[in-house]
Amino acid sequence: MNTVLLDKNRLDRKHFNCGIEPLNNYLKLMASQQAKKDNSRTFVLEDHNDNSRIIGFYTLTMVPIVLTALPDKLQKKHSSSTSAGLIARLAVDKRYHGRGFGEWLLIDALRKLVAASDTVAFPLVVVDAKDGAKQFYQRFGFQAFQHAEHKLFISIADVRASFS
Ligand SMILES: CC(C)(COP(=O)(O)OP(=O)(O)OC[C@H]1O[C@@H](n2cnc3c(N)ncnc32)[C@H](O)[C@@H]1OP(=O)(O)O)[C@@H](O)C(=O)NCCC(=O)NCCS
């Protein structure tokens, strides 16, 4: 399995349904435009056994670090850092839920972010876990920011260590 950059001319986005309309609409209406402007990159996983239907996708970009939202120890450590990698969206089509694709996409996204951080260093990965997905990310070691319970983070060092 591997993810590819979203190609709106080839992939059928209109049948994608993860159960959350804003995420469906992002894939259908926004993802490609945002990539064209170099604001974010969206990667998709296709089902080659079913007319290249989209199984799931994630979107990566960067986000400013709000130092005061970090635990005290990390505020000091990252006081000169400005940006974190952001998994801005991650979703799996309802037909494929519960088959490990969400976990696979998250690991794939983290691998890409670790590779990116080897070139343009950044110390954290952030996710926006709206829509009841907080526990999904906590299972992989993400922890909530202070005063922002839907935003979670993990250090690139911890992700790198978990891969080695
Ligand atoms: C959240 C989502 C990506 C999970 O995808 P999935 O392919 O169904 O998940 P997986 O099959 O890979 O599940 C991996 C593990 O996480 C658990 N899990 C899945 N969804 C979860 C959730 N919302 N909360 C807590 N745990 C969850 C599974 O039970 C599984 O655990 P197990 O290995 O012990 O069985 C998917 O349900 C989805 O697209 N939801 C709508 C969009 C969304 O909420 N996106 C996240 C916010 S951007």
Side-chain angles (χ1 to χ4, degrees), residues 52-79:
S52 288
R53 199 180 162 122
I54 296 175
I55 296 173
F57 76 96
Y58 59 78
T59 300
L60 303 181
T61 184
M62 302 295 287
V63 69
I65 293 178
V66 180
L67 269 182
T68 51
L70 287 174
D72 293 347
K73 209 173 131 197
L74 292 182
Q75 287 188 23
K76 236 185 234 161
K77 186 171 177 187
H78 300 307
S79 58

Side-chain angles (χ1 to χ4, degrees), residues 18 20 23 88-92 96-104 128-133 135-137 139-140:
C18 69
I20 297 187
L23 286 174
R89 286 163 188 86
L90 186 154
V92 172
Y96 302 89
H97 278 187
R99 288 156 60 178
F101 289 116
E103 177 175 344
W104 188 90
D128 202 350
K130 287 188 219 101
D131 313 314
Q135 285 165 340
F136 172 74
Y137 291 109
R139 294 165 50 91
F140 298 95

Side-chain angles (χ1 to χ4, degrees), residues 26-83:
Y26 181 84
L27 183 67
K28 286 170 197 166
L29 305 172
M30 301 286 294
S32 188
Q33 285 176 24
Q34 291 301 319
K36 205 169 165 188
K37 294 177 189 168
D38 291 324
N39 287 337
S40 61
R41 299 277 171 243
T42 293
F43 292 87
V44 299
L45 179 65
E46 301 169 62
D47 185 350
H48 295 292
N49 298 317
D50 187 0
N51 297 318
S52 288
R53 199 180 162 122
I54 296 175
I55 296 173
F57 76 96
Y58 59 78
T59 300
L60 303 181
T61 184
M62 302 295 287
V63 69
I65 293 178
V66 180
L67 269 182
T68 51
L70 287 174
D72 293 347
K73 209 173 131 197
L74 292 182
Q75 287 188 23
K76 236 185 234 161
K77 186 171 177 187
H78 300 307
S79 58
S80 56
S81 307
T82 53
S83 304

Side-chain angles (χ1 to χ4, degrees), residues 130-150:
K130 287 188 219 101
D131 313 314
K134 188 175 169 184
Q135 285 165 340
F136 172 74
Y137 291 109
Q138 284 173 324
R139 294 165 50 91
F140 298 95
F142 282 83
Q143 55 179 298
F145 281 104
Q146 300 183 72
H147 320 301
E149 71 174 289
H150 296 301

